[in-house]
Amino acid sequence: SNHTEYFNGSIAALRVTERVLSEKDFLNVTDVERYDSAFERGIVYHWALDGADGDSVLTARAAPFDVGAYQGKGSGISGGHAPYYSTSAINQKRVRIWNGERFLPRQNTACAEFFGKREPTDGEWTGSLLEETALPAEEHPRSFTYEMFVKVRNAHEDNELLMGKGLSDNNLVWKVFTRSQGGFSVWFYPVDADGVAGSVINKSPIAENAFAPNVWHHLALTYDHEASPRKLVIYLDYKPVYTYEFPEGKALLENTSYRFRHGRYCNTHGFNGWMDEIRLYRGVLQPEQFLRFKSEDGTLILVR
């Protein structure tokens, strides 16, 4: 009110901060893009996975648009538990987030904890699932970068889903999953120009002892549909560890009704460990453009 005059209307999302914000950090309640660079406009979704410690991850908020189609949906499969938010698994010395072009204004405060066979009565298919809700067909990029941070528990089992795209256990396009001795594998369908699927490519294992237990690693998969030859590359800790060049006329199977998912499904067991900062990007990024964690103090130098 102003003396005896009162505002007539609606007010939403009132916020007061202890610092001066730039325009790109302002609240956004429309579908207008909040990112002002061509690089950031390539982000389909970015799940920060920040929440209160111990709460179930039922909805993972998404940047740049926190609307239903871009959010992550958490649930429990075969009697399992939905992923939980965890703050104890965060490295408190590395909380700044480099998003490939600039530091994000927020810090990394939490991640998602996944459970497979959490209870003695759980079966081998029990697990936590996190998947996108239902992306519009036009938001499924033909060339893409899918990346995240992952930390496995001391004794992870064989065949736990890290990331993949599918509809159910036996309907999938590609998946990256754990193998014994700390290694992991990639599995995907190549198709010809008529969409006829060829033999499944199953590279197993990509590397033994790839994942040090209880240590954060960066994992990324890129697929370049515009290149000649078309190429799929797996990166671990910013280094390429597997490259597949498609024969002439072949491509990665695409199905826009399938969903990007983590933790379970795609004919895998439940993952035991933590995931953080999951991002789908429209286009092929190079390692210097991937997400990175940095300490609060110090300088990041990228040589291009």
Side-chain angles (χ1 to χ4, degrees), residues 70 82 120 163 256 274 295:
Y70 304 93
M163 59 169 69
T256 57
W274 299 262
S295 60

Side-chain angles (χ1 to χ4, degrees), residues 2 29 35 41 53 57 61 89 105 134 161 174 176 247 258 284 287 291:
N2 178 14
V29 294
Y35 294 143
R41 285 194 292 271
D53 191 58
V57 185
R61 298 184 63 180
L161 180 65
W174 59 267
V176 180
Y258 288 0
V284 178
L291 293 164

